[in-house]
Amino acid sequence: MRRFIPLILAAALAASPAVSTTAGASTVAPAAAEPIGIALEGWPYPFPVSYFEFVAEGQTLRQAYMDVAPTGKPNGRVALLFHGRNFPASYWDKVIRAFTADGYRVIATDQIGFGKSSKPDLPYSFDFFAANSAALLDSLGIRQVDLVGHSIGGMLAARFTRTYPERVRRLVLEAPVGLEDYRLTVPPVSDAFLYEREYGLTADAYRDFLKNTYSLSGPMAEIEPFVTLRERLKASGEYPRWVKSFIKSYQMIHDQPVVHEYSLIATPTLFIMGSADHNAPGKPYTTKELGAGMGRNADNAKTIAASMPNAQVVVFDGVGHLVHLEQPEDFNRTALGFLDR
């Protein structure tokens, strides 16, 4: 059973006293220690949010998404955006505005376990997320998309393209993780171990993680709202369930590599990488010797692209893991230049 349930949240968000929006960017007021639920109720997204409802293993789940119409002359195409692990779909704001101005209809979804979507006690897998995303497109009557995936969303985009090649016209992978098989360098770690690490993470430690692990070149103001968001989640009575859901995505990255599948992707593909991006999930959990060889992401992308039938790589010098936030104009120009061919 699958149902499409539109839910327009703009009015409710505008009425929230703890939140303000300026020029499409979300900011949180200083008094934002106010708890927020793990479905991010009251957290502003730049465009109205709707929900796709379906049943999985006897549980009714709701997948959040933004469906944004073109603001420029319509080009007849749809762009589907897959987010990274530490951010909800709201961080695509500037990308959505650039793409819709170029004539795209844009679908930006929160995967199950992230953002405003359900946080079920179910196994997470790239196959599960890909199937959910395909079903969402079916519910909207969308047959084919141009697909953009960032970080873990790049791993999902690769699996989606492998599973539904006829549904992806062109593929853009922004700083994808999983360009190596982490099982070869990082030992398995338990859910309990990850739970304790995540549960004890302070605001300062999380901010440092984003800045240093992602080698950010842009202003920290771009990520500060998400540090605040995590603090508000920590104040919620549902936070333990959020952490339990969040650590499943780490295990998915570690246990479900997609790097061996790239040579099988014939879809025209563009990797957009930052030269400073050395993000490697699990690196803190391995030895110094093994960790030293991890995270050579731009070089890995070049090697992988050379093995693919139709792929290319663009590397932004001095940029880290969040290319579309660090260099938004350059990212949008590069991505759209590739997609508009």
Side-chain angles (χ1 to χ4, degrees):
M1 176 182 68
R2 299 181 184 271
R3 300 199 301 273
F4 164 69
I5 302 182
L7 183 62
I8 305 302
L9 300 180
L13 295 178
S16 173
V19 175
S20 63
T21 57
T22 303
S26 60
T27 59
V28 181
E34 179 74 18
I36 193 169
I38 63 173
L40 307 195
E41 300 90 342
W43 183 261
Y45 276 37
F47 301 95
V49 175
S50 299
Y51 288 91
F52 172 60
E53 188 171 291
F54 61 98
V55 175
E57 296 189 23
Q59 297 187 45
T60 299
L61 307 180
R62 306 178 81 212
Q63 183 161 340
Y65 65 95
M66 294 174 284
D67 183 354
V68 189
T71 56
K73 181 180 178 181
N75 62 19
R77 299 198 295 271
V78 178
L80 176 63
L81 311 183
F82 288 161
H83 60 79
R85 182 171 181 245
N86 279 281
F87 302 92
S90 62
Y91 83 151
W92 288 119
D93 185 4
K94 293 177 183 178
V95 174
I96 295 172
R97 294 180 190 279
F99 275 51
T100 53
D102 195 62
Y104 273 95
R105 175 186 179 183
V106 176
I107 309 296
T109 181
D110 285 327
Q111 295 301 324
I112 295 298
F114 295 90
K116 292 182 180 290
S117 293
S118 299
K119 315 292 188 300
D121 187 12
L122 290 173
Y124 291 174
S125 72
F126 291 116
D127 290 328
F128 176 59
F129 289 165
N132 299 339
S133 299
L136 167 62
L137 294 179
D138 288 343
S139 75
L140 298 173
I142 297 170
R143 181 59 185 164
Q144 190 178 61
V145 298
D146 286 343
L147 181 55
V148 180
H150 171 240
S151 196
I152 190 177
M155 294 182 75
L156 172 58
R159 178 59 57 82
F160 185 94
T161 304
R162 280 276 292 122
T163 307
Y164 309 103
E166 73 285 352
R167 304 198 75 157
V168 182
R169 191 186 72 95
R170 284 181 173 255
L171 174 63
V172 174
L173 300 172
E174 177 199 354
V177 294
L179 297 179
E180 53 194 302
D181 189 338
Y182 302 119
R183 299 174 304 175
L184 305 180
T185 50
V186 181
V189 294
S190 69
D191 287 357
F193 171 81
L194 293 171
Y195 186 94
E196 292 300 321
R197 286 181 64 95
E198 293 292 341
Y199 204 88
L201 200 61
T202 66
D204 286 342
Y206 185 57
R207 185 181 296 107
D208 288 344
F209 164 80
L210 293 176
K211 179 181 179 181
N212 298 324
T213 303
Y214 290 171
S215 304
L216 299 185
S217 64
M220 292 300 293
E222 289 285 355
I223 65 168
E224 193 60 32
F226 302 105
V227 176
T228 302
L229 174 59
R230 189 176 178 111
E231 288 300 293
R232 293 184 67 187
L233 285 167
K234 287 171 65 176
S236 167
E238 296 180 301
Y239 184 62
R241 185 157 70 93
W242 182 90
V243 175
K244 185 176 180 180
S245 177
F246 187 67
I247 64 177
K248 291 179 184 180
S249 58
Y250 170 81
Q251 301 290 28
M252 185 172 68
I253 292 171
H254 181 273
D255 296 344
Q256 301 173 34
V258 300
V259 64
H260 311 293
E261 302 176 28
Y262 278 108
S263 62
L264 303 174
I265 294 176
T267 303
T269 301
L270 173 65
F271 292 84
I272 300 181
M273 311 297 297
S275 69
D277 177 20
H278 301 294
N279 179 35
K283 186 174 180 178
Y285 314 144
T286 190
T287 65
K288 182 178 180 179
E289 292 74 21
L290 289 174
M294 297 177 65
R296 298 174 180 174
N297 295 325
D299 289 341
N300 289 342
K302 292 175 183 177
T303 299
I304 290 169
S307 75
M308 299 172 67
N310 193 352
Q312 58 186 286
V313 181
V314 172
V315 180
F316 288 2
D317 188 43
V319 175
H321 188 61
L322 301 177
V323 185
H324 77 270
L325 292 178
E326 297 175 65
Q327 297 287 340
E329 292 182 2
D330 291 338
F331 173 84
N332 291 328
R333 181 172 56 252
T334 301
L336 289 171
F338 171 75
L339 295 175
D340 285 342
R341 294 175 190 171

